[in-house]
mmCIF file of all heavy atoms in Angstrom:
data_model
loop_
_atom_site.group_PDB
_atom_site.id
_atom_site.type_symbol
_atom_site.label_atom_id
_atom_site.label_comp_id
_atom_site.label_asym_id
_atom_site.label_seq_id
_atom_site.Cartn_x
_atom_site.Cartn_y
_atom_site.Cartn_z
ATOM 1 N N PHE A 1 -27.137 -6.118 -5.335
ATOM 2 C CA PHE A 1 -26.267 -6.265 -4.124
ATOM 3 C C PHE A 1 -24.865 -6.957 -4.565
ATOM 4 O O PHE A 1 -23.833 -6.451 -4.149
ATOM 5 C CB PHE A 1 -26.966 -7.236 -3.124
ATOM 6 C CG PHE A 1 -26.056 -7.730 -2.074
ATOM 7 C CD1 PHE A 1 -25.604 -6.925 -1.011
ATOM 8 C CD2 PHE A 1 -25.567 -9.020 -2.160
ATOM 9 C CE1 PHE A 1 -24.716 -7.351 -0.052
ATOM 10 C CE2 PHE A 1 -24.687 -9.538 -1.130
ATOM 11 C CZ PHE A 1 -24.277 -8.695 -0.106
ATOM 12 N N PHE A 2 -24.991 -7.944 -5.462
ATOM 13 C CA PHE A 2 -23.789 -8.583 -5.833
ATOM 14 C C PHE A 2 -22.877 -7.718 -6.660
ATOM 15 O O PHE A 2 -21.651 -7.662 -6.478
ATOM 16 C CB PHE A 2 -24.156 -9.869 -6.635
ATOM 17 C CG PHE A 2 -22.920 -10.708 -7.056
ATOM 18 C CD1 PHE A 2 -22.282 -11.590 -6.241
ATOM 19 C CD2 PHE A 2 -22.427 -10.562 -8.330
ATOM 20 C CE1 PHE A 2 -21.208 -12.328 -6.549
ATOM 21 C CE2 PHE A 2 -21.323 -11.296 -8.756
ATOM 22 C CZ PHE A 2 -20.723 -12.143 -7.898
ATOM 23 N N VAL A 3 -23.502 -6.935 -7.614
ATOM 24 C CA VAL A 3 -22.697 -6.076 -8.399
ATOM 25 C C VAL A 3 -22.021 -4.996 -7.642
ATOM 26 O O VAL A 3 -20.874 -4.654 -7.812
ATOM 27 C CB VAL A 3 -23.626 -5.462 -9.553
ATOM 28 C CG1 VAL A 3 -22.900 -4.347 -10.341
ATOM 29 C CG2 VAL A 3 -24.128 -6.520 -10.548
ATOM 30 N N ILE A 4 -22.811 -4.382 -6.688
ATOM 31 C CA ILE A 4 -22.216 -3.355 -5.882
ATOM 32 C C ILE A 4 -21.094 -3.897 -4.937
ATOM 33 O O ILE A 4 -20.152 -3.269 -4.712
ATOM 34 C CB ILE A 4 -23.288 -2.655 -4.991
ATOM 35 C CG1 ILE A 4 -24.247 -1.845 -5.958
ATOM 36 C CG2 ILE A 4 -22.718 -1.685 -3.943
ATOM 37 C CD1 ILE A 4 -25.398 -1.213 -5.307
ATOM 38 N N LEU A 5 -21.376 -5.162 -4.429
ATOM 39 C CA LEU A 5 -20.384 -5.772 -3.574
ATOM 40 C C LEU A 5 -19.071 -5.982 -4.414
ATOM 41 O O LEU A 5 -17.945 -5.712 -3.944
ATOM 42 C CB LEU A 5 -20.842 -7.138 -3.086
ATOM 43 C CG LEU A 5 -19.867 -8.016 -2.375
ATOM 44 C CD1 LEU A 5 -19.389 -7.353 -1.077
ATOM 45 C CD2 LEU A 5 -20.430 -9.398 -2.052
ATOM 46 N N TYR A 6 -19.180 -6.384 -5.672
ATOM 47 C CA TYR A 6 -18.098 -6.646 -6.537
ATOM 48 C C TYR A 6 -17.309 -5.372 -6.825
ATOM 49 O O TYR A 6 -16.109 -5.274 -6.795
ATOM 50 C CB TYR A 6 -18.526 -7.280 -7.875
ATOM 51 C CG TYR A 6 -17.544 -8.057 -8.631
ATOM 52 C CD1 TYR A 6 -17.401 -9.439 -8.428
ATOM 53 C CD2 TYR A 6 -16.671 -7.464 -9.512
ATOM 54 C CE1 TYR A 6 -16.430 -10.172 -9.107
ATOM 55 C CE2 TYR A 6 -15.712 -8.138 -10.206
ATOM 56 C CZ TYR A 6 -15.666 -9.480 -9.966
ATOM 57 O OH TYR A 6 -14.615 -10.243 -10.703
ATOM 58 N N LEU A 7 -18.135 -4.233 -7.084
ATOM 59 C CA LEU A 7 -17.564 -2.946 -7.319
ATOM 60 C C LEU A 7 -16.757 -2.426 -6.106
ATOM 61 O O LEU A 7 -15.586 -1.986 -6.247
ATOM 62 C CB LEU A 7 -18.658 -1.947 -7.681
ATOM 63 C CG LEU A 7 -19.153 -1.973 -9.107
ATOM 64 C CD1 LEU A 7 -20.398 -1.077 -9.299
ATOM 65 C CD2 LEU A 7 -18.103 -1.527 -10.063
ATOM 66 N N LEU A 8 -17.383 -2.486 -4.925
ATOM 67 C CA LEU A 8 -16.737 -1.976 -3.717
ATOM 68 C C LEU A 8 -15.506 -2.788 -3.439
ATOM 69 O O LEU A 8 -14.468 -2.274 -3.066
ATOM 70 C CB LEU A 8 -17.723 -2.005 -2.564
ATOM 71 C CG LEU A 8 -18.867 -1.090 -2.600
ATOM 72 C CD1 LEU A 8 -19.824 -1.289 -1.430
ATOM 73 C CD2 LEU A 8 -18.399 0.339 -2.663
ATOM 74 N N GLN A 9 -15.556 -4.117 -3.597
ATOM 75 C CA GLN A 9 -14.428 -4.899 -3.302
ATOM 76 C C GLN A 9 -13.295 -4.635 -4.337
ATOM 77 O O GLN A 9 -12.112 -4.453 -3.886
ATOM 78 C CB GLN A 9 -14.835 -6.416 -3.466
ATOM 79 C CG GLN A 9 -13.645 -7.405 -3.366
ATOM 80 C CD GLN A 9 -14.135 -8.758 -3.672
ATOM 81 O OE1 GLN A 9 -14.746 -9.417 -2.754
ATOM 82 N NE2 GLN A 9 -13.863 -9.252 -4.847
ATOM 83 N N GLY A 10 -13.581 -4.517 -5.618
ATOM 84 C CA GLY A 10 -12.591 -4.223 -6.580
ATOM 85 C C GLY A 10 -11.927 -2.872 -6.408
ATOM 86 O O GLY A 10 -10.675 -2.710 -6.411
ATOM 87 N N MET A 11 -12.706 -1.788 -6.080
ATOM 88 C CA MET A 11 -12.155 -0.482 -5.862
ATOM 89 C C MET A 11 -11.329 -0.449 -4.571
ATOM 90 O O MET A 11 -10.263 0.165 -4.509
ATOM 91 C CB MET A 11 -13.280 0.532 -5.796
ATOM 92 C CG MET A 11 -14.065 0.783 -7.104
ATOM 93 S SD MET A 11 -12.977 1.304 -8.459
ATOM 94 C CE MET A 11 -12.376 2.858 -7.855
ATOM 95 N N GLY A 12 -11.841 -1.173 -3.520
ATOM 96 C CA GLY A 12 -11.097 -1.217 -2.266
ATOM 97 C C GLY A 12 -9.775 -1.907 -2.450
ATOM 98 O O GLY A 12 -8.764 -1.428 -1.882
ATOM 99 N N CYS A 13 -9.672 -2.962 -3.196
ATOM 100 C CA CYS A 13 -8.428 -3.703 -3.410
ATOM 101 C C CYS A 13 -7.457 -2.815 -4.204
ATOM 102 O O CYS A 13 -6.267 -2.824 -3.911
ATOM 103 C CB CYS A 13 -8.651 -5.041 -4.160
ATOM 104 S SG CYS A 13 -9.472 -6.274 -3.108
ATOM 105 N N MET A 14 -8.001 -2.088 -5.230
ATOM 106 C CA MET A 14 -7.067 -1.279 -5.991
ATOM 107 C C MET A 14 -6.516 -0.071 -5.185
ATOM 108 O O MET A 14 -5.326 0.198 -5.272
ATOM 109 C CB MET A 14 -7.796 -0.727 -7.234
ATOM 110 C CG MET A 14 -8.020 -1.776 -8.318
ATOM 111 S SD MET A 14 -8.448 -1.106 -9.921
ATOM 112 C CE MET A 14 -10.012 -0.339 -9.525
ATOM 113 N N LEU A 15 -7.398 0.605 -4.371
ATOM 114 C CA LEU A 15 -6.925 1.702 -3.564
ATOM 115 C C LEU A 15 -5.904 1.200 -2.567
ATOM 116 O O LEU A 15 -4.920 1.828 -2.229
ATOM 117 C CB LEU A 15 -8.125 2.373 -2.883
ATOM 118 C CG LEU A 15 -9.049 3.142 -3.811
ATOM 119 C CD1 LEU A 15 -10.232 3.649 -3.025
ATOM 120 C CD2 LEU A 15 -8.313 4.325 -4.423
ATOM 121 N N TYR A 16 -6.132 0.040 -1.989
ATOM 122 C CA TYR A 16 -5.177 -0.440 -1.003
ATOM 123 C C TYR A 16 -3.869 -0.829 -1.694
ATOM 124 O O TYR A 16 -2.792 -0.630 -1.040
ATOM 125 C CB TYR A 16 -5.854 -1.701 -0.298
ATOM 126 C CG TYR A 16 -4.928 -2.466 0.610
ATOM 127 C CD1 TYR A 16 -4.655 -1.955 1.866
ATOM 128 C CD2 TYR A 16 -4.270 -3.699 0.289
ATOM 129 C CE1 TYR A 16 -3.826 -2.560 2.782
ATOM 130 C CE2 TYR A 16 -3.459 -4.319 1.158
ATOM 131 C CZ TYR A 16 -3.214 -3.774 2.395
ATOM 132 O OH TYR A 16 -2.420 -4.388 3.249
ATOM 133 N N THR A 17 -3.965 -1.367 -2.825
ATOM 134 C CA THR A 17 -2.710 -1.776 -3.541
ATOM 135 C C THR A 17 -1.887 -0.480 -3.922
ATOM 136 O O THR A 17 -0.655 -0.476 -3.730
ATOM 137 C CB THR A 17 -3.091 -2.524 -4.868
ATOM 138 O OG1 THR A 17 -3.827 -3.661 -4.549
ATOM 139 C CG2 THR A 17 -1.774 -2.920 -5.581
ATOM 140 N N VAL A 18 -2.575 0.577 -4.265
ATOM 141 C CA VAL A 18 -1.842 1.882 -4.563
ATOM 142 C C VAL A 18 -1.215 2.361 -3.267
ATOM 143 O O VAL A 18 -0.047 2.812 -3.277
ATOM 144 C CB VAL A 18 -2.861 2.913 -5.113
ATOM 145 C CG1 VAL A 18 -2.255 4.248 -5.191
ATOM 146 C CG2 VAL A 18 -3.368 2.530 -6.472
ATOM 147 N N PHE A 19 -1.964 2.318 -2.170
ATOM 148 C CA PHE A 19 -1.398 2.797 -0.904
ATOM 149 C C PHE A 19 -0.121 1.945 -0.512
ATOM 150 O O PHE A 19 0.888 2.555 -0.112
ATOM 151 C CB PHE A 19 -2.474 2.627 0.180
ATOM 152 C CG PHE A 19 -1.895 2.729 1.597
ATOM 153 C CD1 PHE A 19 -1.477 3.960 2.112
ATOM 154 C CD2 PHE A 19 -1.767 1.567 2.383
ATOM 155 C CE1 PHE A 19 -1.005 4.025 3.403
ATOM 156 C CE2 PHE A 19 -1.270 1.657 3.650
ATOM 157 C CZ PHE A 19 -0.847 2.860 4.221
ATOM 158 N N CYS A 20 -0.236 0.668 -0.703
ATOM 159 C CA CYS A 20 0.922 -0.216 -0.328
ATOM 160 C C CYS A 20 2.160 0.145 -1.253
ATOM 161 O O CYS A 20 3.294 0.192 -0.790
ATOM 162 C CB CYS A 20 0.588 -1.643 -0.480
ATOM 163 S SG CYS A 20 -0.458 -2.272 0.807
ATOM 164 N N ASN A 21 1.877 0.373 -2.571
ATOM 165 C CA ASN A 21 2.992 0.684 -3.452
ATOM 166 C C ASN A 21 3.643 1.986 -3.142
ATOM 167 O O ASN A 21 4.905 2.091 -3.096
ATOM 168 C CB ASN A 21 2.466 0.739 -4.907
ATOM 169 C CG ASN A 21 2.383 -0.651 -5.525
ATOM 170 O OD1 ASN A 21 3.285 -1.073 -6.252
ATOM 171 N ND2 ASN A 21 1.337 -1.374 -5.268
ATOM 172 N N ILE A 22 2.838 3.035 -2.851
ATOM 173 C CA ILE A 22 3.467 4.341 -2.475
ATOM 174 C C ILE A 22 4.241 4.172 -1.184
ATOM 175 O O ILE A 22 5.314 4.708 -0.996
ATOM 176 C CB ILE A 22 2.322 5.366 -2.371
ATOM 177 C CG1 ILE A 22 1.678 5.636 -3.690
ATOM 178 C CG2 ILE A 22 2.873 6.694 -1.731
ATOM 179 C CD1 ILE A 22 0.416 6.538 -3.644
ATOM 180 N N SER A 23 3.726 3.473 -0.199
ATOM 181 C CA SER A 23 4.387 3.318 1.117
ATOM 182 C C SER A 23 5.677 2.603 0.939
ATOM 183 O O SER A 23 6.685 2.925 1.479
ATOM 184 C CB SER A 23 3.491 2.587 2.089
ATOM 185 O OG SER A 23 2.283 3.315 2.318
ATOM 186 N N VAL A 24 5.657 1.576 0.123
ATOM 187 C CA VAL A 24 6.901 0.771 -0.108
ATOM 188 C C VAL A 24 7.998 1.514 -0.798
ATOM 189 O O VAL A 24 9.147 1.575 -0.308
ATOM 190 C CB VAL A 24 6.563 -0.497 -0.897
ATOM 191 C CG1 VAL A 24 7.813 -1.173 -1.493
ATOM 192 C CG2 VAL A 24 5.849 -1.503 -0.063
ATOM 193 N N VAL A 25 7.613 2.274 -1.838
ATOM 194 C CA VAL A 25 8.655 3.144 -2.462
ATOM 195 C C VAL A 25 9.149 4.173 -1.546
ATOM 196 O O VAL A 25 10.411 4.423 -1.510
ATOM 197 C CB VAL A 25 7.983 3.833 -3.751
ATOM 198 C CG1 VAL A 25 8.960 4.783 -4.334
ATOM 199 C CG2 VAL A 25 7.615 2.747 -4.757
ATOM 200 N N HIS A 26 8.358 4.793 -0.729
ATOM 201 C CA HIS A 26 8.787 5.827 0.170
ATOM 202 C C HIS A 26 9.721 5.205 1.223
ATOM 203 O O HIS A 26 10.706 5.768 1.551
ATOM 204 C CB HIS A 26 7.544 6.416 0.842
ATOM 205 C CG HIS A 26 7.942 7.456 1.925
ATOM 206 N ND1 HIS A 26 8.013 7.144 3.231
ATOM 207 C CD2 HIS A 26 8.252 8.831 1.840
ATOM 208 C CE1 HIS A 26 8.379 8.227 3.945
ATOM 209 N NE2 HIS A 26 8.513 9.279 3.079
ATOM 210 N N GLU A 27 9.388 4.073 1.713
ATOM 211 C CA GLU A 27 10.176 3.451 2.789
ATOM 212 C C GLU A 27 11.526 2.969 2.257
ATOM 213 O O GLU A 27 12.499 2.995 2.912
ATOM 214 C CB GLU A 27 9.406 2.256 3.433
ATOM 215 C CG GLU A 27 8.185 2.663 4.291
ATOM 216 C CD GLU A 27 8.618 3.496 5.503
ATOM 217 O OE1 GLU A 27 9.704 3.232 6.069
ATOM 218 O OE2 GLU A 27 7.884 4.372 5.868
ATOM 219 N N LEU A 28 11.454 2.483 0.991
ATOM 220 C CA LEU A 28 12.696 1.989 0.410
ATOM 221 C C LEU A 28 13.695 3.075 0.171
ATOM 222 O O LEU A 28 14.872 2.966 0.380
ATOM 223 C CB LEU A 28 12.378 1.217 -0.853
ATOM 224 C CG LEU A 28 13.591 0.472 -1.520
ATOM 225 C CD1 LEU A 28 14.078 -0.568 -0.520
ATOM 226 C CD2 LEU A 28 13.231 -0.182 -2.817
ATOM 227 N N LEU A 29 13.183 4.191 -0.268
ATOM 228 C CA LEU A 29 14.046 5.383 -0.495
ATOM 229 C C LEU A 29 14.611 5.961 0.758
ATOM 230 O O LEU A 29 15.700 6.537 0.827
ATOM 231 C CB LEU A 29 13.318 6.432 -1.279
ATOM 232 C CG LEU A 29 12.891 6.076 -2.733
ATOM 233 C CD1 LEU A 29 12.026 7.185 -3.372
ATOM 234 C CD2 LEU A 29 14.103 5.747 -3.604
ATOM 235 N N ALA A 30 13.783 5.881 1.850
ATOM 236 C CA ALA A 30 14.244 6.453 3.161
ATOM 237 C C ALA A 30 14.671 5.358 4.142
ATOM 238 O O ALA A 30 14.590 5.572 5.336
ATOM 239 C CB ALA A 30 13.017 7.184 3.724
ATOM 240 N N ILE A 31 15.134 4.190 3.609
ATOM 241 C CA ILE A 31 15.429 3.073 4.503
ATOM 242 C C ILE A 31 16.594 3.382 5.496
ATOM 243 O O ILE A 31 16.554 3.023 6.676
ATOM 244 C CB ILE A 31 15.717 1.810 3.726
ATOM 245 C CG1 ILE A 31 15.644 0.586 4.595
ATOM 246 C CG2 ILE A 31 16.995 1.909 2.924
ATOM 247 C CD1 ILE A 31 15.621 -0.735 3.822
ATOM 248 N N ARG A 32 17.532 4.135 5.097
ATOM 249 C CA ARG A 32 18.710 4.470 5.961
ATOM 250 C C ARG A 32 18.242 5.410 7.072
ATOM 251 O O ARG A 32 18.615 5.213 8.229
ATOM 252 C CB ARG A 32 19.843 5.087 5.149
ATOM 253 C CG ARG A 32 20.549 4.105 4.260
ATOM 254 C CD ARG A 32 21.739 4.770 3.593
ATOM 255 N NE ARG A 32 22.526 3.834 2.783
ATOM 256 C CZ ARG A 32 23.457 3.006 3.199
ATOM 257 N NH1 ARG A 32 23.798 3.068 4.524
ATOM 258 N NH2 ARG A 32 24.059 2.205 2.392
ATOM 259 N N ARG A 33 17.427 6.410 6.672
ATOM 260 C CA ARG A 33 16.972 7.343 7.660
ATOM 261 C C ARG A 33 16.050 6.646 8.679
ATOM 262 O O ARG A 33 16.095 6.931 9.899
ATOM 263 C CB ARG A 33 16.202 8.468 6.979
ATOM 264 C CG ARG A 33 15.515 9.424 7.879
ATOM 265 C CD ARG A 33 14.887 10.602 7.106
ATOM 266 N NE ARG A 33 14.099 10.178 6.075
ATOM 267 C CZ ARG A 33 12.836 9.798 6.173
ATOM 268 N NH1 ARG A 33 12.251 9.760 7.366
ATOM 269 N NH2 ARG A 33 12.165 9.427 5.097
ATOM 270 N N ARG A 34 15.217 5.693 8.255
ATOM 271 C CA ARG A 34 14.302 5.049 9.111
ATOM 272 C C ARG A 34 14.975 4.099 10.048
ATOM 273 O O ARG A 34 14.722 4.067 11.278
ATOM 274 C CB ARG A 34 13.281 4.250 8.316
ATOM 275 C CG ARG A 34 12.344 3.327 9.125
ATOM 276 C CD ARG A 34 11.295 2.799 8.229
ATOM 277 N NE ARG A 34 11.816 2.042 7.124
ATOM 278 C CZ ARG A 34 12.232 0.783 7.241
ATOM 279 N NH1 ARG A 34 12.207 0.219 8.425
ATOM 280 N NH2 ARG A 34 12.753 0.223 6.187
ATOM 281 N N ILE A 35 15.996 3.431 9.609
ATOM 282 C CA ILE A 35 16.683 2.446 10.487
ATOM 283 C C ILE A 35 17.635 3.179 11.382
ATOM 284 O O ILE A 35 17.800 2.862 12.461
ATOM 285 C CB ILE A 35 17.418 1.364 9.681
ATOM 286 C CG1 ILE A 35 16.375 0.535 8.898
ATOM 287 C CG2 ILE A 35 18.306 0.491 10.494
ATOM 288 C CD1 ILE A 35 16.934 -0.491 8.016
ATOM 289 N N GLY A 36 18.296 4.231 10.868
ATOM 290 C CA GLY A 36 19.223 4.933 11.665
ATOM 291 C C GLY A 36 20.617 4.508 11.430
ATOM 292 O O GLY A 36 20.884 3.313 11.295
ATOM 293 N N PRO A 37 21.596 5.479 11.387
ATOM 294 C CA PRO A 37 22.987 5.105 11.169
ATOM 295 C C PRO A 37 23.549 4.292 12.362
ATOM 296 O O PRO A 37 23.404 4.669 13.523
ATOM 297 C CB PRO A 37 23.725 6.440 11.025
ATOM 298 C CG PRO A 37 22.841 7.382 11.833
ATOM 299 C CD PRO A 37 21.414 6.886 11.682
ATOM 300 N N GLY A 38 24.154 3.143 12.078
ATOM 301 C CA GLY A 38 24.810 2.396 13.074
ATOM 302 C C GLY A 38 23.961 1.382 13.763
ATOM 303 O O GLY A 38 24.493 0.526 14.469
ATOM 304 N N SER A 39 22.662 1.478 13.665
ATOM 305 C CA SER A 39 21.764 0.526 14.317
ATOM 306 C C SER A 39 21.795 -0.836 13.594
ATOM 307 O O SER A 39 21.650 -1.890 14.205
ATOM 308 C CB SER A 39 20.353 1.074 14.398
ATOM 309 O OG SER A 39 19.889 1.337 13.119
ATOM 310 N N LYS A 40 21.833 -0.767 12.246
ATOM 311 C CA LYS A 40 21.909 -2.000 11.542
ATOM 312 C C LYS A 40 22.426 -1.751 10.115
ATOM 313 O O LYS A 40 22.027 -0.747 9.522
ATOM 314 C CB LYS A 40 20.420 -2.559 11.375
ATOM 315 C CG LYS A 40 20.381 -3.931 10.579
ATOM 316 C CD LYS A 40 19.002 -4.387 10.410
ATOM 317 C CE LYS A 40 18.972 -5.671 9.603
ATOM 318 N NZ LYS A 40 17.570 -6.193 9.409
#
């Protein structure tokens, strides 16, 4: 139980970190389009 818990937690943290990195890069590259011209 402890080993599987450690495995699931480790894999979940890594997948979540990958998701956050991809989202951040995408949002940073599209930051002007997301905010809109003239709004800020």
Side-chain angles (χ1 to χ4, degrees):
F1 165 77
F2 182 80
V3 172
I4 292 177
L5 173 64
Y6 204 95
L7 280 170
L8 293 176
Q9 174 186 281
M11 294 301 296
C13 288
M14 286 197 297
L15 291 174
Y16 176 75
T17 304
V18 171
F19 165 75
C20 288
N21 275 265
I22 294 174
S23 299
V24 164
V25 172
H26 177 267
E27 291 296 327
L28 189 60
L29 294 176
I31 195 167
R32 288 185 178 275
R33 172 173 53 81
R34 176 170 55 82
I35 294 177
S39 60
K40 181 182 178 182

